[in-house]
Amino acid sequence: MKEVLPLPIAKLNGTSLYYEINGTGTPVVFIHGHGLTHSMFKPQLEYFSDKYKVILCDLRGNGKSGKLLEAPHEIIETQCLDLIMLLNDLGIREAVFVGIAYGGLVVQHIAKQYPERVKAIVVADSFCRTHGSTIVGKIQTMAAYCSLLMYYLPSELVLPSIRMMYRERWSLAYNEIRRGLLDKRPRELYRQRLATSHVDYTRCLKAFKRPALCIVGDFNEFGVNCMKEMVSQLPHAQLAIIPNALDPSNLCQPEQFNAILQRFLEKQQGSQQIS
């Protein structure tokens, strides 16, 4: 595989987006999770860039990209428009969109707002709605507002619990989460956390007619239930549960994740749904 060279940062939509692109073929856009960056997809970049045009970027408010100043209810829409404008700059009309956790919400919003730009979607370790007025929903909303302190705590106070959860079993995931904590942008992370407090993509998922793949690690029982709900809403979706994995499943079990995604992409090419 050729060495990945960082391209100039794109200036668009009133901000700057750091991105990397490598390979040729069907464009596949990978969208990172909350508190992480494009670097979480290194195993996917190395695996897929031989056959696909792999596009990675840092959403605004993350990593090497520009500041996030929008109100919480505008954030996901703005980040989606950033990505669409980036694809416009790259001359890409359609792509497969792959999102992990928070990135999965961005993917669903793109499917809702820009379905003509989507060849297929892959959502991992995410959810399609918060639960509104239910007890679970109220707890989720309260947790979002109470999480402010966590974002401003020194990373050294948070790392021990992350180390205990990930390091021995999933060292690759631990190292990436650790990097995200050490390089965090607290205020912008908190605003993005609030942006996830009231989302509901169930109606738009029912109307989405393209192929969809939902992936989740089996260690997250709540996440498995959320992903099963998502599959039930999508007309053309399949569910893959990865054993011995937590969020992010692409780093906990990269070989299994890559194999599942590879089969999905090949199936779409074989059926000529992806050209």
Side-chain angles (χ1 to χ4, degrees), residues 188-206:
E188 291 157 304
L189 281 177
Y190 179 58
R191 294 168 72 85
Q192 289 171 97
R193 179 70 176 88
L194 294 182
T196 69
S197 300
H198 298 89
V199 296
D200 189 345
Y201 293 111
T202 53
R203 181 176 298 180
C204 72
L205 292 180
K206 291 178 180 178

Side-chain angles (χ1 to χ4, degrees), residues 15 20 22 25 28 55 63 71 94 104 112 119 123-125 196 205 212 220 231 233 238 241 248 250 253-254 274:
T15 193
E20 295 180 2
N22 198 41
V28 184
I55 302 165
E94 292 182 314
K112 170 189 175 183
K119 289 179 177 290
V123 178
D125 311 310
T196 69
L205 292 180
N220 185 352
V231 170
Q233 303 298 321
Q238 61 188 76
I241 301 177
N250 73 303
Q253 297 294 343
I274 297 180

Side-chain angles (χ1 to χ4, degrees), residues 7 19 53 57 129 215 259 273:
L7 297 179
Y19 70 98
K53 185 188 296 291
C57 85
R129 67 184 177 104
I215 306 174
Q273 293 185 49

Side-chain angles (χ1 to χ4, degrees), residues 7-25:
L7 297 179
I9 290 178
K11 303 289 186 178
L12 47 81
N13 201 22
T15 193
S16 58
L17 282 190
Y18 176 85
Y19 70 98
E20 295 180 2
I21 181 170
N22 198 41
T24 60

Side-chain angles (χ1 to χ4, degrees), residues 17-257:
L17 282 190
Y18 176 85
Y19 70 98
E20 295 180 2
I21 181 170
N22 198 41
T24 60
T26 299
V28 184
V29 181
F30 289 89
I31 307 173
H32 61 79
H34 186 64
L36 302 179
T37 69
H38 72 282
S39 65
M40 74 174 292
F41 293 114
K42 183 179 179 181
Q44 285 67 55
L45 176 66
E46 294 175 347
Y47 186 89
F48 287 102
S49 58
D50 286 341
K51 294 184 178 179
Y52 302 93
K53 185 188 296 291
V54 175
I55 302 165
L56 313 178
C57 85
D58 293 338
L59 298 173
R60 74 162 66 194
N62 298 270
K64 302 176 183 179
S65 289
K67 292 181 179 180
L68 180 69
L69 303 174
E70 288 69 27
H73 69 277
E74 300 173 327
I75 288 175
I76 295 177
E77 168 60 30
T78 303
Q79 291 172 328
C80 288
L81 181 57
D82 291 343
L83 291 172
I84 294 300
M85 294 181 70
L86 175 62
L87 294 185
N88 290 344
D89 283 358
L90 296 174
I92 296 172
R93 178 62 187 171
E94 292 182 314
V96 177
F97 291 88
V98 182
I100 307 291
Y102 181 90
L105 297 179
V106 175
V107 166
Q108 292 174 77
H109 199 92
I110 289 175
K112 170 189 175 183
Q113 204 71 18
Y114 308 98
E116 74 282 358
R117 308 301 296 268
V118 179
K119 289 179 177 290
I121 62 172
V122 180
V123 178
D125 311 310
S126 192
F127 55 92
C128 60
R129 67 184 177 104
T130 48
H131 290 76
S133 60
T134 66
I135 294 177
V136 172
K138 291 178 179 178
I139 292 174
Q140 289 176 330
T141 301
M142 185 181 300
Y145 283 95
C146 291
S147 60
L148 176 61
L149 179 61
M150 183 188 72
Y151 292 117
Y152 284 92
L153 283 173
S155 299
E156 291 75 13
L157 297 181
V158 181
L159 276 172
S161 61
I162 301 298
R163 186 183 301 114
M164 184 180 301
M165 183 180 301
Y166 282 92
R167 188 175 184 178
E168 294 301 322
R169 190 183 295 269
W170 305 298
S171 59
L172 192 64
Y174 167 73
N175 290 334
E176 192 63 34
I177 294 170
R178 179 179 181 275
R179 182 184 296 114
L181 283 170
L182 294 176
D183 297 334
K184 64 184 177 181
R185 296 164 61 169
R187 184 173 183 274
E188 291 157 304
L189 281 177
Y190 179 58
R191 294 168 72 85
Q192 289 171 97
R193 179 70 176 88
L194 294 182
T196 69
S197 300
H198 298 89
V199 296
D200 189 345
Y201 293 111
T202 53
R203 181 176 298 180
C204 72
L205 292 180
K206 291 178 180 178
F208 184 71
K209 304 303 182 183
R210 296 298 182 98
L213 170 64
C214 298
I215 306 174
V216 65
D218 67 345
F219 265 60
N220 185 352
E221 183 177 352
F222 179 73
V224 170
N225 291 333
C226 287
M227 297 302 286
K228 286 181 176 178
E229 179 184 25
M230 188 180 301
V231 170
S232 73
Q233 303 298 321
L234 285 159
H236 306 290
Q238 61 188 76
L239 175 66
I241 301 177
I242 298 181
N244 190 27
L246 195 59
D247 171 17
S249 56
N250 73 303
L251 291 176
C252 289
Q253 297 294 343
E255 292 183 1
Q256 293 184 52
F257 184 96

